[in-house]
Amino acid sequence: MSTDHRADRRSKHDIAAAIARDIAAEHPDGSYVNLGIGQPTLVADHLPAGSGVVLHTENGMLNMGPAAHGDDVDPDLINAGKVAVTELPGAAYFHQADSFAMMRGGHLDVCVLGAFQVSARGDLANWHTGAPEAVPAVGGAMDLAIGARRVWVMMTLFDKQGAPKLVPECTYPLTGLACVERVYTDLGTFAVGPDGVRLLDVHGITAQDLVRRLAPIEVRIDAAVTDEARAARR
Amino acid sequence: MTARVCAGYDEAVAGTADGATVLVGGFGMAGMPVELVDALIRQGAADLTIVSNNAGNGDTGLAALLATGRVRKVICSFPRQSDSWVFDGLYRAGRIELEVVPQGNLAERMRAAGAGIGAFYSPTAVGTPLAEGKEVREIDGRSYLLEYPIHGDLALIKAHTADRMGNLVYRRTARNFGPVMATAARTVAVQVDRVVETGALDPEAVVTPSIYVDRIVAATQESAA
């Protein structure tokens, strides 16, 4: 595996910050957002004050607040990762059928999920490694994948063996078909879908190098990823 | 028939037959009716099918029921957790059957049961391993899977407050599966923190109307004096 760019990779906090920025930029009047279990929950820490974003947790709550500590911990108030959380003014509670109806019904603007693999056309694999001894467990992953209006993935671009997780076809068991719209990684941000893969942003690596490492996937380089455009944004 | 306030947890689960399908509320431990599950263990019904979001945490509640060996099958969305060692051991030993259902389909299948819906088409899990054996139907250019209701013989749920008629209110995210399961089982047993006199709950705030509730057990009961 090539390690030459590792030092410049974005941390998971940087990735979360980028997602938070895009959520705020693309939904300026506030949006309803579900953050998947694990790293996506970090996005909440980076949402700008006054973004108006309302967090949904699929175990039955809107306008979830930050993690609870000390006396604020209430066993009846947890998020989908079973972590104690808090409520914000305007919070609402509802049962499971309602929670997934608002998801499936297209009312949720954005969902951010982790992934084992994403395919060039946006297929998602994030629930099962396919290992025969693994106990299968899906939770709300499949509902979220096809329910939210926009599904964004947050992951490292390469696995521990150095293989790309952005792939022509997923080899892990699928969570959803053609559902992912955008992939945020340590080395770059991608749009995926019926038109294939487009590189939107790069980090610590040139666009050309990154595209080469992702072969055989064909990646179109967005005009905004030129050195000039990137310098102008800083 | 309006609900009956039971003297204890054992009365609330009395008569559960071998082979019953039991819906157990809760998401993790929030809303988990631990005392009712403990009572079901004492009651002794075997060959059970358990429907719940998870398959037990630690060694108590649902995990303790599984450990008795009286559960034939678990229908749930997320059995694998850091503290699900009881289920994991039974599953790996081939001693328990597992049907994994996406969480939203699990809820909707019980909602359908409670609402008298014969089956429904859901877009969840299309193209995945969980679609195996299910009818696929294209509607308006989108693919859906045919999903059937899940009916319970008994539902065990936890709410916050009941009135004597059986109207229920829940507390925060402990609501989770309670209101749906309450509609989907022939007999519904509810454990609550407290029972209040009929009329003491704001009708606008009732979440589960009394028609769904059969048996209530309270940790504490307000004196009827």
Side-chain angles (χ1 to χ4, degrees):
Chain A
M1 151 177 202
S2 163
T3 56
D4 47 340
H5 303 295
R6 181 172 283 175
D8 294 328
R9 283 180 175 182
R10 282 194 298 189
S11 72
K12 56 194 179 184
H13 281 277
D14 294 336
I15 304 170
I19 296 171
R21 209 162 43 235
D22 283 358
I23 289 171
E26 296 179 32
H27 302 269
D29 299 325
S31 55
Y32 287 85
V33 174
N34 182 296
L35 300 175
I37 295 168
Q39 288 194 11
T41 57
L42 295 172
V43 173
D45 300 335
H46 296 277
L47 289 168
S51 67
V53 168
V54 176
L55 294 180
H56 169 265
T57 181
E58 62 264 31
N59 54 313
M61 180 185 190
L62 280 171
N63 223 8
M64 173 177 69
H69 300 285
D71 291 345
D72 287 337
V73 171
D74 177 346
D76 285 345
L77 181 45
I78 60 173
N79 66 14
K82 306 190 174 80
V83 173
V85 292
T86 52
E87 64 181 26
L88 296 176
Y93 298 106
F94 34 83
H95 64 63
Q96 288 293 277
D98 279 352
S99 184
F100 285 85
M102 67 180 68
M103 191 185 292
R104 240 188 270 106
H107 307 282
L108 203 61
D109 294 300
V110 180
C111 174
V112 184
L113 295 169
F116 297 140
Q117 288 177 326
V118 177
S119 82
R121 69 169 167 274
D123 295 347
L124 172 67
N126 77 345
W127 75 286
H128 198 314
T129 60
E133 73 282 3
V135 177
V138 67
M142 289 186 181
D143 309 276
L144 280 163
I146 57 86
R149 289 162 67 178
R150 315 178 72 182
V151 174
W152 295 353
V153 159
M154 173 177 179
M155 67 180 190
T156 56
L157 188 53
F158 295 90
D159 68 18
K160 288 187 178 118
Q161 284 72 46
K165 291 157 74 173
L166 188 56
V167 292
E169 295 284 344
C170 293
T171 53
Y172 285 100
L174 287 181
T175 306
L177 288 175
C179 53
V180 179
E181 176 189 274
R182 203 175 289 175
V183 182
Y184 292 84
T185 77
D186 46 347
L187 295 173
T189 301
F190 304 85
V192 296
D195 301 328
V197 181
R198 199 154 50 90
L199 180 62
L200 305 177
D201 205 356
V202 290
H203 304 279
I205 183 171
T206 68
Q208 296 295 349
D209 280 350
L210 188 54
V211 167
R212 200 162 37 239
R213 288 186 64 191
L214 288 172
I217 283 192
E218 275 187 44
V219 180
R220 285 175 296 124
I221 301 174
D222 199 279
V225 190
T226 60
D227 285 346
E228 295 76 20
R230 290 168 65 204
R233 276 207 302 278
R234 287 203 180 93
Chain B
M1 198 160 58
T2 53
R4 180 174 88 236
V5 178
C6 299
Y9 296 103
D10 292 306
E11 186 185 338
V13 301
T16 306
D18 288 352
T21 295
V22 183
L23 317 180
V24 180
F27 181 86
M29 293 307 286
M32 171 63 66
V34 174
E35 284 77 9
L36 284 172
V37 174
D38 286 345
L40 186 62
I41 294 172
R42 291 192 295 273
Q43 192 266 346
D47 195 31
L48 300 172
T49 294
I50 297 294
V51 184
S52 196
N53 190 61
N54 304 108
N57 302 75
D59 292 301
T60 59
L62 200 45
L65 175 60
L66 299 183
T68 64
R70 296 193 209 121
V71 177
R72 181 177 63 80
K73 180 179 181 180
V74 168
I75 300 175
C76 79
S77 88
F78 207 83
R80 184 188 67 229
Q81 299 172 95
S82 58
D83 58 353
S84 61
W85 49 79
V86 174
F87 174 82
D88 296 358
L90 291 167
Y91 180 76
R92 296 215 166 93
R95 289 174 53 207
I96 200 159
E97 200 181 322
L98 171 66
E99 180 180 348
V100 174
V101 180
Q103 199 172 334
N105 281 355
L106 187 67
E108 193 64 15
R109 287 174 65 184
M110 288 186 278
R111 197 198 70 80
I117 300 298
F120 61 94
Y121 287 99
S122 168
T124 301
V126 168
T128 77
L130 298 188
E132 261 172 45
K134 294 181 189 286
E135 180 193 320
V136 183
R137 172 77 68 91
E138 192 166 306
I139 302 169
D140 266 348
R142 192 174 191 197
S143 294
Y144 296 81
L145 300 178
L146 183 63
E147 296 287 349
Y148 290 97
I150 298 174
H151 294 271
D153 296 299
L154 174 68
L156 306 179
I157 63 179
K158 183 180 180 183
H160 183 245
T161 306
D163 69 15
R164 289 184 167 277
M165 278 187 75
N167 293 300
L168 304 179
V169 295
Y170 298 82
R171 191 166 175 278
R172 298 183 146 173
T173 58
R175 180 182 305 199
N176 58 65
F177 283 92
V180 180
M181 288 181 171
T183 69
R186 194 169 301 126
T187 300
V188 174
V190 186
Q191 68 174 79
V192 292
D193 286 358
R194 61 193 193 118
V195 175
V196 298
E197 290 306 316
T198 297
L201 291 178
D202 176 0
E204 298 284 5
V206 168
V207 175
T208 293
S210 64
I211 191 168
Y212 297 115
V213 175
D214 300 293
R215 303 170 183 179
I216 305 163
V217 198
T220 58
Q221 289 182 32
E222 280 188 3
S223 165

